[in-house]
Amino acid sequence: DGLEERLDAMREEIKTLRRQVEEARAERARAQMAQAVEAGRTIAGVKFVPQQIDGADHAMLAQAWDALRQRSAEKTVGLFYSVVDGKVNIIVGVTDDLAGKKLKAGDLLAAAAAQIGGKSGGRPNLARGGGSQPENLDQAIDAAAAAMEKALG
């Protein structure tokens, strides 16, 4: 009887701790986002924000994009990536004012993914992909920026 109560209490504590870890990760991503916006560059009048988010899966990268969109809702492209176990997770987000008109997230991500030995796919405003060559991430970011510059011409 006492054992079941202790198990229930431990399960609740584990649930609470997991929630706290997720909240801390989200807060860290928001803090990194603030830094990323400041460090981003402007390409043909559009803010380009590449940012590594340590240990992030695609869902966390998408949350980071949502946080950036809240800060900068127009004329913004975000490229977020992480390296987990030697594999690259990467997403590209394009604000709605540009998506599908001048820029497509999938096109920008395809340019980046080609540099990291990866694949990509998605919608005009958000694409996700991955690759197996994290050592080429700088070239991937440059390729996305070049594709963006060409599209905005």
Side-chain angles (χ1 to χ4, degrees), residues 32-110:
Q32 286 179 322
M33 202 51 47
Q35 294 170 343
V37 170
E38 296 304 313
R41 56 188 155 164
T42 301
I43 298 172
V46 176
K47 188 82 165 178
F48 178 58
V49 182
Q51 177 68 37
Q52 180 168 357
I53 299 177
D54 299 328
D57 60 13
H58 282 111
M60 289 172 65
L61 294 173
Q63 287 174 357
W65 167 240
D66 288 341
L68 176 59
R69 261 193 335 191
Q70 289 172 5
R71 288 172 105 37
S72 183
E74 293 183 337
K75 294 188 184 230
T76 303
V77 172
L79 183 151
F80 303 111
Y81 60 95
S82 66
V83 179
V84 179
D85 297 327
K87 302 282 186 203
V88 178
N89 295 317
I90 187 168
I91 70 158
V92 170
V94 175
T95 51
D96 290 338
D97 61 318
L98 300 170
K101 298 170 185 83
K102 294 184 176 187
L103 294 174
K104 292 187 176 106
D107 294 347
L108 302 180
L109 186 53

Side-chain angles (χ1 to χ4, degrees), residues 6-19:
R6 287 199 322 233
L7 280 173
D8 287 342
M10 290 172 81
R11 283 186 189 110
E12 281 303 311
E13 184 177 3
I14 289 170
K15 250 200 285 194
T16 300
L17 291 171
R18 283 184 177 153
R19 194 171 329 114

Side-chain angles (χ1 to χ4, degrees), residues 110-118 133 136-137 139-141 143:
Q115 301 299 311
I116 56 171
Q133 299 167 358
N136 295 337
L137 274 164
Q139 294 95 313
I141 293 166

